[in-house]
Short mmCIF file of all heavy atoms in Angstrom, two decimals:
data_model
loop_
_atom_site.label_atom_id
_atom_site.label_comp_id
_atom_site.label_asym_id
_atom_site.label_seq_id
_atom_site.Cartn_x
_atom_site.Cartn_y
_atom_site.Cartn_z
N GLY A 150 102.08 108.74 84.72
CA GLY A 150 102.12 110.15 85.00
C GLY A 150 102.74 110.51 86.32
O GLY A 150 102.91 111.72 86.57
N GLY A 151 103.05 109.59 87.15
CA GLY A 151 103.61 109.90 88.47
C GLY A 151 105.07 110.35 88.30
O GLY A 151 105.63 110.23 87.24
N GLY A 152 105.58 110.92 89.40
CA GLY A 152 106.93 111.41 89.38
C GLY A 152 107.25 112.27 90.55
O GLY A 152 106.50 112.33 91.55
N LEU A 153 108.41 112.99 90.41
CA LEU A 153 108.86 113.93 91.46
C LEU A 153 108.59 115.34 91.08
O LEU A 153 108.98 115.76 89.93
CB LEU A 153 110.28 113.66 91.64
CG LEU A 153 111.07 114.65 92.65
CD1 LEU A 153 110.54 114.49 94.04
CD2 LEU A 153 112.58 114.46 92.57
N VAL A 154 107.98 116.09 91.93
CA VAL A 154 107.68 117.53 91.67
C VAL A 154 107.94 118.32 92.92
O VAL A 154 107.92 117.79 94.08
CB VAL A 154 106.23 117.78 91.20
CG1 VAL A 154 105.94 117.12 89.91
CG2 VAL A 154 105.20 117.26 92.26
N GLN A 155 108.16 119.64 92.75
CA GLN A 155 108.40 120.49 93.89
C GLN A 155 107.05 121.01 94.47
O GLN A 155 106.00 121.00 93.73
CB GLN A 155 109.17 121.73 93.43
CG GLN A 155 110.62 121.51 93.07
CD GLN A 155 111.41 122.70 92.77
OE1 GLN A 155 111.18 123.34 91.75
NE2 GLN A 155 112.36 123.03 93.63
N PRO A 156 106.99 121.37 95.71
CA PRO A 156 105.75 121.95 96.30
C PRO A 156 105.24 123.12 95.40
O PRO A 156 105.98 123.96 94.96
CB PRO A 156 106.14 122.47 97.61
CG PRO A 156 107.30 121.58 98.00
CD PRO A 156 108.08 121.34 96.70
N GLY A 157 103.90 123.06 95.17
CA GLY A 157 103.29 124.09 94.29
C GLY A 157 103.21 123.66 92.87
O GLY A 157 102.55 124.34 92.11
N GLY A 158 103.86 122.58 92.49
CA GLY A 158 103.85 122.07 91.12
C GLY A 158 102.66 121.28 90.80
O GLY A 158 101.72 121.12 91.61
N SER A 159 102.61 120.73 89.53
CA SER A 159 101.45 119.96 89.05
C SER A 159 101.90 118.67 88.40
O SER A 159 102.99 118.55 87.92
CB SER A 159 100.66 120.84 88.02
OG SER A 159 100.14 122.02 88.58
N LEU A 160 100.95 117.72 88.46
CA LEU A 160 101.14 116.44 87.75
C LEU A 160 99.72 116.08 87.27
O LEU A 160 98.72 116.35 87.84
CB LEU A 160 101.65 115.33 88.68
CG LEU A 160 103.12 115.28 88.98
CD1 LEU A 160 103.35 114.17 90.04
CD2 LEU A 160 103.97 115.02 87.77
N ARG A 161 99.71 115.27 86.17
CA ARG A 161 98.46 114.73 85.63
C ARG A 161 98.63 113.25 85.47
O ARG A 161 99.48 112.72 84.77
CB ARG A 161 98.17 115.31 84.26
CG ARG A 161 96.85 114.86 83.66
CD ARG A 161 96.58 115.57 82.34
NE ARG A 161 95.25 115.33 81.80
CZ ARG A 161 94.98 114.67 80.68
NH1 ARG A 161 95.99 114.23 79.96
NH2 ARG A 161 93.77 114.55 80.29
N LEU A 162 97.82 112.50 86.24
CA LEU A 162 97.86 111.07 86.21
C LEU A 162 96.80 110.49 85.22
O LEU A 162 95.71 111.11 85.11
CB LEU A 162 97.56 110.47 87.62
CG LEU A 162 98.43 110.93 88.77
CD1 LEU A 162 98.04 110.23 90.06
CD2 LEU A 162 99.85 110.71 88.49
N SER A 163 97.14 109.37 84.59
CA SER A 163 96.21 108.78 83.64
C SER A 163 96.08 107.33 83.98
O SER A 163 97.01 106.67 84.54
CB SER A 163 96.71 108.90 82.21
OG SER A 163 96.78 110.23 81.77
N CYS A 164 94.90 106.72 83.76
CA CYS A 164 94.66 105.30 83.99
C CYS A 164 93.82 104.78 82.87
O CYS A 164 92.64 105.21 82.73
CB CYS A 164 94.05 105.13 85.34
SG CYS A 164 93.55 103.41 85.66
N ALA A 165 94.35 103.85 82.09
CA ALA A 165 93.63 103.28 81.02
C ALA A 165 93.17 101.85 81.28
O ALA A 165 93.98 101.01 81.75
CB ALA A 165 94.51 103.30 79.74
N ALA A 166 91.89 101.54 81.11
CA ALA A 166 91.40 100.23 81.31
C ALA A 166 91.35 99.41 79.95
O ALA A 166 91.00 100.01 78.90
CB ALA A 166 90.00 100.25 81.85
N SER A 167 91.69 98.17 80.01
CA SER A 167 91.68 97.37 78.82
C SER A 167 91.22 95.91 79.18
O SER A 167 91.12 95.56 80.32
CB SER A 167 93.02 97.35 78.10
OG SER A 167 94.00 96.78 78.96
N GLY A 168 91.06 95.09 78.12
CA GLY A 168 90.65 93.71 78.38
C GLY A 168 89.19 93.47 78.08
O GLY A 168 88.58 94.21 77.35
N SER A 169 88.68 92.46 78.71
CA SER A 169 87.23 92.13 78.52
C SER A 169 86.35 93.00 79.36
O SER A 169 86.38 92.81 80.61
CB SER A 169 87.01 90.64 78.86
OG SER A 169 85.65 90.30 78.65
N ILE A 170 85.73 93.97 78.74
CA ILE A 170 84.90 94.91 79.48
C ILE A 170 83.56 95.05 78.83
O ILE A 170 83.41 95.38 77.66
CB ILE A 170 85.58 96.27 79.48
CG1 ILE A 170 86.98 96.21 80.10
CG2 ILE A 170 84.73 97.29 80.27
CD1 ILE A 170 87.76 97.52 79.97
N PHE A 171 82.52 94.81 79.63
CA PHE A 171 81.14 95.05 79.15
C PHE A 171 80.84 96.51 79.44
O PHE A 171 80.33 97.23 78.57
CB PHE A 171 80.16 94.13 79.86
CG PHE A 171 78.76 94.50 79.60
CD1 PHE A 171 78.19 94.32 78.36
CD2 PHE A 171 77.91 95.02 80.58
CE1 PHE A 171 76.85 94.67 78.01
CE2 PHE A 171 76.60 95.35 80.33
CZ PHE A 171 76.07 95.17 79.08
N ARG A 172 81.00 96.93 80.67
CA ARG A 172 80.81 98.28 81.01
C ARG A 172 81.54 98.70 82.30
O ARG A 172 81.62 97.90 83.20
CB ARG A 172 79.29 98.56 81.26
CG ARG A 172 78.94 100.00 81.56
CD ARG A 172 77.48 100.27 81.53
NE ARG A 172 77.21 101.61 81.80
CZ ARG A 172 75.95 102.13 81.86
NH1 ARG A 172 74.90 101.39 81.57
NH2 ARG A 172 75.76 103.40 82.13
N ILE A 173 82.07 99.89 82.31
CA ILE A 173 82.75 100.51 83.45
C ILE A 173 81.79 101.49 84.11
O ILE A 173 81.26 102.39 83.42
CB ILE A 173 84.05 101.19 83.10
CG1 ILE A 173 85.02 100.14 82.51
CG2 ILE A 173 84.64 101.82 84.35
CD1 ILE A 173 86.34 100.75 82.10
N TYR A 174 81.56 101.35 85.38
CA TYR A 174 80.69 102.29 86.09
C TYR A 174 81.58 103.34 86.81
O TYR A 174 82.11 104.19 86.10
CB TYR A 174 79.84 101.49 87.08
CG TYR A 174 79.05 100.44 86.38
CD1 TYR A 174 79.42 99.14 86.13
CD2 TYR A 174 77.77 100.84 85.83
CE1 TYR A 174 78.63 98.24 85.44
CE2 TYR A 174 76.95 99.90 85.13
CZ TYR A 174 77.42 98.62 84.96
OH TYR A 174 76.65 97.72 84.27
N ALA A 175 81.70 103.34 88.07
CA ALA A 175 82.49 104.32 88.74
C ALA A 175 83.98 104.03 88.53
O ALA A 175 84.38 102.91 88.43
CB ALA A 175 82.17 104.39 90.23
N MET A 176 84.75 105.14 88.48
CA MET A 176 86.22 105.01 88.46
C MET A 176 86.82 106.04 89.53
O MET A 176 86.08 106.99 89.87
CB MET A 176 86.79 105.40 87.08
CG MET A 176 86.31 104.53 85.96
SD MET A 176 87.12 104.85 84.40
CE MET A 176 88.65 103.94 84.61
N GLY A 177 87.98 105.80 89.99
CA GLY A 177 88.50 106.68 91.00
C GLY A 177 89.95 106.44 91.26
O GLY A 177 90.64 105.64 90.62
N TRP A 178 90.45 107.30 92.14
CA TRP A 178 91.82 107.32 92.58
C TRP A 178 91.92 107.24 94.08
O TRP A 178 91.20 107.96 94.82
CB TRP A 178 92.57 108.60 92.13
CG TRP A 178 92.78 108.65 90.60
CD1 TRP A 178 91.90 109.22 89.75
CD2 TRP A 178 93.82 108.14 89.84
NE1 TRP A 178 92.41 109.20 88.47
CE2 TRP A 178 93.55 108.47 88.52
CE3 TRP A 178 94.98 107.43 90.20
CZ2 TRP A 178 94.44 108.10 87.54
CZ3 TRP A 178 95.83 107.05 89.14
CH2 TRP A 178 95.57 107.39 87.82
N HIS A 179 92.72 106.33 94.57
CA HIS A 179 93.09 106.17 95.99
C HIS A 179 94.57 106.47 96.12
O HIS A 179 95.35 106.33 95.17
CB HIS A 179 92.71 104.86 96.55
CG HIS A 179 91.21 104.61 96.65
ND1 HIS A 179 90.37 104.44 95.59
CD2 HIS A 179 90.42 104.49 97.78
CE1 HIS A 179 89.13 104.28 95.96
NE2 HIS A 179 89.12 104.28 97.31
N ARG A 180 95.00 106.74 97.39
CA ARG A 180 96.43 106.88 97.60
C ARG A 180 96.83 106.21 98.96
O ARG A 180 95.92 106.12 99.82
CB ARG A 180 96.88 108.34 97.57
CG ARG A 180 96.34 109.20 98.65
CD ARG A 180 96.74 110.64 98.45
NE ARG A 180 96.21 111.51 99.53
CZ ARG A 180 96.33 112.84 99.46
NH1 ARG A 180 96.86 113.49 98.40
NH2 ARG A 180 95.88 113.59 100.47
N GLN A 181 98.04 105.86 99.07
CA GLN A 181 98.50 105.29 100.31
C GLN A 181 99.96 105.69 100.57
O GLN A 181 100.85 105.51 99.76
CB GLN A 181 98.45 103.69 100.22
CG GLN A 181 98.77 103.05 101.50
CD GLN A 181 98.47 101.54 101.47
OE1 GLN A 181 98.39 100.95 100.46
NE2 GLN A 181 98.21 101.00 102.64
N ALA A 182 100.07 106.40 101.69
CA ALA A 182 101.40 106.79 102.15
C ALA A 182 101.97 105.73 103.09
O ALA A 182 101.22 104.96 103.63
CB ALA A 182 101.31 108.12 102.94
N PRO A 183 103.32 105.70 103.17
CA PRO A 183 103.95 104.60 104.06
C PRO A 183 103.38 104.68 105.46
O PRO A 183 103.30 105.72 106.09
CB PRO A 183 105.40 105.04 104.07
CG PRO A 183 105.62 105.70 102.78
CD PRO A 183 104.35 106.48 102.55
N GLY A 184 102.96 103.52 105.94
CA GLY A 184 102.48 103.34 107.30
C GLY A 184 101.07 103.83 107.48
O GLY A 184 100.58 103.84 108.63
N LYS A 185 100.35 104.27 106.44
CA LYS A 185 99.03 104.79 106.53
C LYS A 185 98.07 103.90 105.69
O LYS A 185 98.45 103.21 104.79
CB LYS A 185 98.95 106.25 106.07
CG LYS A 185 99.71 107.18 107.04
CD LYS A 185 99.46 108.62 106.67
CE LYS A 185 100.15 109.60 107.59
NZ LYS A 185 99.88 111.00 107.26
N GLN A 186 96.76 104.05 106.05
CA GLN A 186 95.70 103.34 105.39
C GLN A 186 95.45 103.97 103.97
O GLN A 186 95.59 105.21 103.84
CB GLN A 186 94.39 103.34 106.18
CG GLN A 186 93.33 102.46 105.70
CD GLN A 186 92.18 102.41 106.68
OE1 GLN A 186 92.14 103.17 107.66
NE2 GLN A 186 91.21 101.64 106.38
N ARG A 187 95.12 103.12 103.02
CA ARG A 187 94.77 103.62 101.74
C ARG A 187 93.47 104.43 101.87
O ARG A 187 92.53 104.06 102.52
CB ARG A 187 94.50 102.43 100.76
CG ARG A 187 94.28 102.92 99.33
CD ARG A 187 94.20 101.72 98.33
NE ARG A 187 95.40 100.89 98.37
CZ ARG A 187 95.69 99.87 97.53
NH1 ARG A 187 94.72 99.54 96.60
NH2 ARG A 187 96.81 99.24 97.58
N GLU A 188 93.43 105.62 101.22
CA GLU A 188 92.28 106.55 101.28
C GLU A 188 91.81 106.96 99.94
O GLU A 188 92.58 107.05 98.96
CB GLU A 188 92.66 107.79 102.17
CG GLU A 188 93.75 108.61 101.55
CD GLU A 188 94.05 109.88 102.29
OE1 GLU A 188 93.24 110.19 103.24
OE2 GLU A 188 95.03 110.57 101.95
N LEU A 189 90.54 107.27 99.84
CA LEU A 189 89.97 107.79 98.63
C LEU A 189 90.43 109.25 98.39
O LEU A 189 90.35 110.09 99.27
CB LEU A 189 88.42 107.75 98.65
CG LEU A 189 87.71 108.40 97.51
CD1 LEU A 189 87.82 107.63 96.25
CD2 LEU A 189 86.21 108.61 97.84
N VAL A 190 90.91 109.51 97.18
CA VAL A 190 91.25 110.83 96.79
C VAL A 190 90.14 111.49 95.99
O VAL A 190 89.70 112.64 96.23
CB VAL A 190 92.55 110.81 95.91
CG1 VAL A 190 92.93 112.24 95.42
CG2 VAL A 190 93.70 110.23 96.74
N ALA A 191 89.67 110.84 94.96
CA ALA A 191 88.68 111.37 94.12
C ALA A 191 87.93 110.20 93.39
O ALA A 191 88.53 109.16 93.05
CB ALA A 191 89.18 112.34 93.05
N GLY A 192 86.65 110.38 93.11
CA GLY A 192 85.87 109.43 92.37
C GLY A 192 84.96 110.07 91.34
O GLY A 192 84.59 111.22 91.54
N ILE A 193 84.61 109.33 90.29
CA ILE A 193 83.71 109.84 89.29
C ILE A 193 82.82 108.73 88.77
O ILE A 193 83.27 107.57 88.52
CB ILE A 193 84.50 110.46 88.12
CG1 ILE A 193 83.56 111.14 87.07
CG2 ILE A 193 85.43 109.49 87.45
CD1 ILE A 193 84.27 112.02 86.12
N THR A 194 81.50 108.94 88.71
CA THR A 194 80.56 107.95 88.24
C THR A 194 80.49 107.95 86.75
O THR A 194 81.01 108.83 86.08
CB THR A 194 79.19 108.19 88.82
OG1 THR A 194 78.59 109.38 88.23
CG2 THR A 194 79.24 108.37 90.33
N ASP A 195 79.83 106.88 86.16
CA ASP A 195 79.66 106.90 84.71
C ASP A 195 78.81 108.02 84.22
O ASP A 195 78.80 108.30 83.06
CB ASP A 195 79.02 105.52 84.30
CG ASP A 195 77.80 105.12 85.05
OD1 ASP A 195 77.64 105.51 86.25
OD2 ASP A 195 76.89 104.44 84.48
N GLY A 196 77.97 108.61 85.12
CA GLY A 196 77.19 109.79 84.82
C GLY A 196 77.94 111.10 84.92
O GLY A 196 77.38 112.14 84.62
N GLY A 197 79.15 111.10 85.41
CA GLY A 197 79.94 112.29 85.58
C GLY A 197 79.94 113.00 86.91
O GLY A 197 80.64 114.00 87.04
N SER A 198 79.25 112.46 87.88
CA SER A 198 79.28 112.99 89.20
C SER A 198 80.62 112.73 89.87
O SER A 198 81.18 111.66 89.76
CB SER A 198 78.14 112.44 90.08
OG SER A 198 76.88 112.73 89.54
N THR A 199 81.16 113.72 90.59
CA THR A 199 82.43 113.64 91.18
C THR A 199 82.38 113.86 92.67
O THR A 199 81.46 114.48 93.24
CB THR A 199 83.43 114.64 90.64
OG1 THR A 199 82.92 115.96 90.86
CG2 THR A 199 83.55 114.39 89.10
N ASN A 200 83.35 113.30 93.41
CA ASN A 200 83.54 113.60 94.81
C ASN A 200 85.00 113.57 95.13
O ASN A 200 85.79 112.86 94.50
CB ASN A 200 82.75 112.62 95.70
CG ASN A 200 83.31 111.22 95.69
OD1 ASN A 200 84.12 110.86 96.52
ND2 ASN A 200 82.86 110.41 94.69
N TYR A 201 85.40 114.33 96.15
CA TYR A 201 86.84 114.50 96.48
C TYR A 201 87.02 114.43 98.02
O TYR A 201 86.10 114.77 98.77
CB TYR A 201 87.34 115.86 96.00
CG TYR A 201 87.29 116.06 94.52
CD1 TYR A 201 86.15 116.68 93.95
CD2 TYR A 201 88.35 115.74 93.71
CE1 TYR A 201 86.05 116.87 92.59
CE2 TYR A 201 88.31 116.00 92.38
CZ TYR A 201 87.16 116.55 91.77
OH TYR A 201 87.09 116.76 90.43
N ALA A 202 88.21 113.98 98.38
CA ALA A 202 88.58 114.10 99.76
C ALA A 202 88.71 115.61 100.11
O ALA A 202 89.14 116.36 99.24
CB ALA A 202 89.95 113.39 100.01
N ASP A 203 88.38 115.94 101.35
CA ASP A 203 88.48 117.34 101.78
C ASP A 203 89.91 117.89 101.53
O ASP A 203 90.02 119.08 101.19
CB ASP A 203 88.08 117.49 103.18
CG ASP A 203 86.53 117.31 103.41
OD1 ASP A 203 85.80 117.44 102.47
OD2 ASP A 203 86.16 117.07 104.57
#
Side-chain angles (χ1 to χ4, degrees):
L153 174 66
V154 296
Q155 292 185 294
S159 297
L160 282 175
R161 185 176 187 245
L162 306 183
S163 299
C164 173
S167 62
S169 180
I170 303 171
F171 172 70
R172 183 172 180 176
I173 298 176
Y174 300 91
M176 302 186 79
W178 293 91
H179 290 69
R180 67 186 181 187
Q181 187 168 25
K185 294 188 176 181
Q186 188 175 5
R187 188 175 298 186
E188 64 176 351
L189 173 70
V190 176
I193 184 167
T194 69
D195 51 327
S198 297
T199 60
N200 69 93
Y201 299 89
D203 288 341

